[in-house]
Amino acid sequence: MDVRQWADGLQDGSRWSRALLVVPFALIAVVTVVDINVPPEVHLGPFLVAAPALTASFAGPRPTALVGAVAVLAQAVVAVTRSSITDLNHMYQIAALFLISAIVTFFAHLRERRAAEMVRLRTVAEAAQRSILRPLPGRSGPLRLASVYLAAEAGAQLGGDLYATARTVRGTRLIIGDVRGKGLDAISSAAGVLGAFRALARQEEHLPDLVTRLESSVAAHRIDSLNETDDRPEDTPDALDTADTAGPYIAEAFVTAAVLDIPDAEEELRLVSCGHPPPLLLRAGRVHALDATQPAPPLGVGALTDDGPAEDLFTFRAGDMLLLYTDGVTEARDGSGRFYPLAERLVSWPGAGPGPLVEWLCTDLLRHAGGHLGDDAAMVAVECLPSPGRGPRTRAPDEGP
């Protein structure tokens, strides 16, 4: 829910509160009429306290004060009608009603101020989250893109999943990733990966070199976080020199990622998978998993192996649809514990275009999971459009995806 929706909700709540004001005023009228007509030994005036107390539960301080004042006036009318306003019993009832009305009005003021603070905090939080996970462009060269992010935490718009795109002189580069862990640490790690990708995507010509630098960035970020932790073990290293010096500490945080390079002029895509679920290619009604032949370790633990990242080459023609996703999608369970069958559902998709695809998958996923996800889920759909400058790649198209 964005801030506009939140504000609309507040406006709807205000209209709802104004409609509910009929209830305390009706209560005051009923109690007043009945109290005037009952026998002298019966006193219903104390029931008037319920009117301002009820109003404070759903309205602001001004409506609460108004209802309290009307209740006090009604109690005075009852006193004059039944005996005298100077009657000791009625004087105590009026004084108690006035005091309680003042108290509940003060608490209504505190609640309203707290609600305004929450609106401001949500506004700032949304701006911060949007600055980290920026919306993908609808078009990038011969590609059309659409994305969706489903945060598992209520009220959040960003967690440990991430995606981004960058235009280069040759085409479009994409990243989708999933940070191990949750909460603010995961958001911080996601922000670091996204910042590094945006800064490096245009600097490195070859995809493996880009992934190598992303690996160094994630590892450095992890070590910086360790150095800032006050309760870390005394023998925790201050810098990452080798896998041996890093020990188990660097393995505590990592980022699975798939990094892609899609040139404008060739019918191909290049993929480096760092322990991430394989992208799915939808072509002519069939789904192909783009499995990496030599997947690299997740970002942040690359120092544990001597092998550098390797890229895989796949055909990506006009009319093809590519789906990138995080494991929050495929690991979503229904009531019986069954995982979400993404590939099967993708085959049965009846529409066209990346935007409708992610919307349909989002609705279908939430329906499968009963409306609540146990983990953040992100999806990015990429459609290849016909382009006069796009030609076949060097490898024969019939070699598979």
Side-chain angles (χ1 to χ4, degrees):
M1 175 184 292
D2 59 19
V3 174
R4 181 176 299 176
Q5 292 173 321
W6 173 256
D8 292 342
L10 287 181
Q11 293 175 0
D12 293 340
S14 298
R15 289 192 290 267
W16 179 71
S17 298
R18 287 194 293 270
L20 282 180
L21 283 176
V22 176
V23 176
F25 283 122
L27 176 65
I28 292 173
V30 171
V31 171
T32 301
V33 172
V34 174
D35 199 17
I36 291 176
N37 292 279
V38 295
E41 62 272 14
V42 178
H43 298 279
L44 300 180
F47 286 101
L48 291 174
V49 174
L54 178 64
T55 307
S57 67
F58 62 83
R62 291 184 180 180
T64 303
L66 175 62
V67 171
V70 173
V72 171
L73 179 61
Q75 182 65 56
V77 171
V78 171
V80 172
T81 304
R82 297 192 59 174
S83 57
S84 171
I85 197 170
T86 59
D87 181 79
L88 186 62
N89 179 50
H90 288 296
M91 289 183 62
Y92 275 115
Q93 289 185 27
I94 292 173
L97 183 57
F98 178 83
L99 179 61
I100 294 176
S101 297
I103 293 174
V104 297
T105 298
F106 175 71
F107 280 104
H109 166 71
L110 294 180
R111 182 176 57 82
E112 186 176 69
R113 188 171 66 179
R114 177 66 174 174
E117 291 176 356
M118 289 299 297
V119 171
R120 288 193 295 269
L121 289 175
R122 285 179 177 270
T123 304
V124 173
E126 182 185 81
Q129 293 178 72
R130 286 188 177 276
S131 67
I132 296 174
L133 192 67
R134 302 170 190 169
L136 297 183
R139 183 74 181 265
S140 180
L143 308 177
R144 282 201 302 174
L145 303 98
S147 62
V148 64
Y149 194 106
L150 299 173
E153 185 176 353
Q157 293 182 337
L158 177 62
D161 291 2
L162 58 99
Y163 52 75
T165 182
R167 284 291 293 169
T168 66
V169 294
R170 296 185 62 247
T172 302
R173 279 181 170 169
L174 290 155
I175 185 173
I176 187 167
D178 185 359
V179 179
R180 178 187 180 273
K182 296 181 180 180
L184 294 178
D185 290 340
I187 295 176
S188 175
S189 298
V193 175
L194 290 172
F197 174 79
R198 291 171 182 140
L200 300 172
R202 298 176 180 86
Q203 298 180 14
E204 296 296 336
E205 179 180 358
H206 301 292
L207 199 61
D209 295 336
L210 170 61
V211 174
T212 299
R213 296 193 64 182
L214 289 175
E215 159 64 31
S216 301
S217 176
V218 173
H221 176 80
R222 174 58 180 162
I223 295 304
D224 289 341
S225 300
L226 286 173
N227 291 336
E228 293 172 0
T229 304
D230 294 332
D231 58 349
R232 61 193 173 100
E234 295 180 357
D235 59 345
T236 300
D238 293 328
L240 176 62
D241 295 324
T242 65
D244 293 335
T245 59
Y249 303 107
I250 189 173
E252 294 177 358
F254 55 82
V255 182
T256 66
V259 188
L260 298 91
D261 196 352
I262 305 177
D264 292 344
E266 289 87 27
E267 293 182 342
E268 66 181 29
L269 67 83
R270 298 176 182 273
L271 167 69
V272 174
S273 176
C274 301
H276 198 75
L280 298 179
L281 179 67
L282 179 60
R283 174 184 296 160
R286 298 183 61 185
V287 174
H288 307 272
L290 304 187
D291 294 304
T293 56
Q294 298 181 23
L299 299 176
V301 295
L304 302 179
T305 179
D306 295 331
D307 298 328
E311 69 177 18
D312 288 277
L313 185 66
F314 300 95
T315 302
F316 193 49
R317 309 188 188 111
D320 289 350
M321 185 79 71
L322 185 69
L323 181 69
L324 313 176
Y325 58 96
T326 60
D327 59 10
V329 176
T330 52
E331 293 180 0
R333 298 174 182 262
D334 61 9
S336 62
R338 187 172 63 97
F339 289 116
Y340 180 67
L342 178 60
E344 297 177 16
R345 301 302 295 152
L346 189 58
V347 172
S348 63
W349 175 55
L357 173 60
V358 296
E359 292 177 4
W360 182 80
L361 285 174
C362 178
T363 302
D364 191 59
L365 175 65
L366 290 175
R367 185 186 302 114
H368 174 86
H372 177 73
L373 299 177
D375 191 10
D376 295 342
M379 289 180 282
V380 176
V382 183
E383 181 184 18
C384 184
L385 301 175
S387 177
R390 240 176 165 247
R393 60 189 178 89
T394 55
R395 201 167 64 181
D398 60 354
E399 293 181 13

